[in-house]
Amino acid sequence: MTPEQVLAQPARILSQKQRENYFAKGYLLVENAVPSEWIQRLRSVTAEMVERSRERKKSDAMFDLEPGHTAEKPRLRRLSSPVEHHPVYWDFVVQSPIADIAADLVGPNVKFHHAKLNFKWAEGGEEVKWHQDIQFWPHTNYSPLTIGTFPAVMRVRCSTNIMSAANGSAVWPRGIWRKWSWTKPSI
């Protein structure tokens, strides 16, 4: 769907101004979109997953461990495909406002592709360099989007600099930033 077609659909969660800002800037921050009950459930199940990781000595298909991970001081880099490892994560995908927010931005035919839970620990943690996720997704158009809820799940300070967005860098049809040049996606 084109931005005009999406904006012609009735909004489910977002205001029309928020949707217009998304198409103008290429990103959108929606504060307090996740109800506190969901945050508590996600924190609880995430703590449970950290506990389960204590018995791991090396990374596997479920847990990507940082160097220095021990049972005494667990250091997860990522929980891969959390929806496959605990039903609360899947419930969040289908019952929280997130799917409706996605529909407000891409149109009513929303399809969930995957999830991951990244960790950024106090006292260090591995840096993830600037990148755009869309180049790594299987797609034939530029409607996919990333919805990040990690600040809601873990207590985060602004100084942690967990995510940033370059104004206009993801706006179609101006282009996608790739290897220091602008390219226009083919339609």
Side-chain angles (χ1 to χ4, degrees):
M1 295 182 80
T2 67
E4 296 77 20
Q5 291 169 324
V6 172
L7 291 170
Q9 300 289 319
R12 299 175 183 190
I13 302 285
L14 301 175
S15 70
Q16 192 70 359
K17 183 164 180 55
Q18 286 174 307
R19 297 166 78 199
E20 290 167 0
N21 282 338
Y22 169 76
F23 287 111
K25 295 179 180 178
Y27 68 92
L28 181 65
L29 170 65
V30 182
E31 296 184 84
N32 302 312
V34 179
S36 61
E37 298 81 26
W38 272 114
I39 294 170
Q40 293 304 73
R41 288 179 71 190
L42 292 168
R43 282 182 177 156
S44 177
V45 71
T46 300
E48 180 183 321
M49 300 310 275
V50 171
E51 285 302 310
R52 287 175 62 184
S53 78
R54 289 179 186 273
E55 60 194 46
R56 302 299 205 286
K57 303 276 189 226
K58 62 181 182 173
S59 295
D60 57 25
M62 184 174 178
F63 296 112
D64 181 8
L65 307 176
E66 285 188 5
H69 170 85
T70 64
E72 298 77 34
K73 191 173 182 179
R75 302 284 290 202
L76 284 109
R77 187 177 6 233
R78 175 177 298 130
L79 171 60
S80 299
S81 303
V83 298
E84 296 175 14
H85 304 297
H86 200 289
V88 168
Y89 291 120
W90 179 249
D91 291 346
F92 178 70
V93 170
V94 298
Q95 296 173 11
S96 78
I98 299 303
D100 284 336
I101 290 172
D104 282 349
L105 300 175
V106 299
N109 298 321
V110 174
K111 179 180 180 180
F112 173 78
H113 185 266
H114 75 280
K116 60 186 171 187
L117 182 57
N118 294 321
F119 292 80
K120 175 89 174 175
W121 296 94
E123 303 170 11
E126 294 193 12
E127 177 184 10
V128 177
K129 300 287 186 188
W130 188 94
H131 68 282
Q132 285 185 320
D133 291 338
I134 196 166
Q135 282 80 2
F136 303 99
W137 291 354
H139 64 283
T140 57
N141 62 41
Y142 284 86
S143 66
L145 59 97
T146 297
I147 297 180
T149 57
F150 38 75
V153 175
M154 309 305 286
R155 291 179 177 94
V156 178
R157 293 184 310 272
C158 289
S159 62
T160 308
N161 196 20
I162 54 170
M163 190 173 118
S164 59
N167 196 11
S169 64
V171 177
W172 179 89
R174 279 186 244 154
I176 301 299
W177 183 253
R178 188 182 306 161
K179 296 184 182 176
W180 305 285
S181 66
W182 287 96
T183 60
K184 286 191 176 180
S186 58
I187 299 175

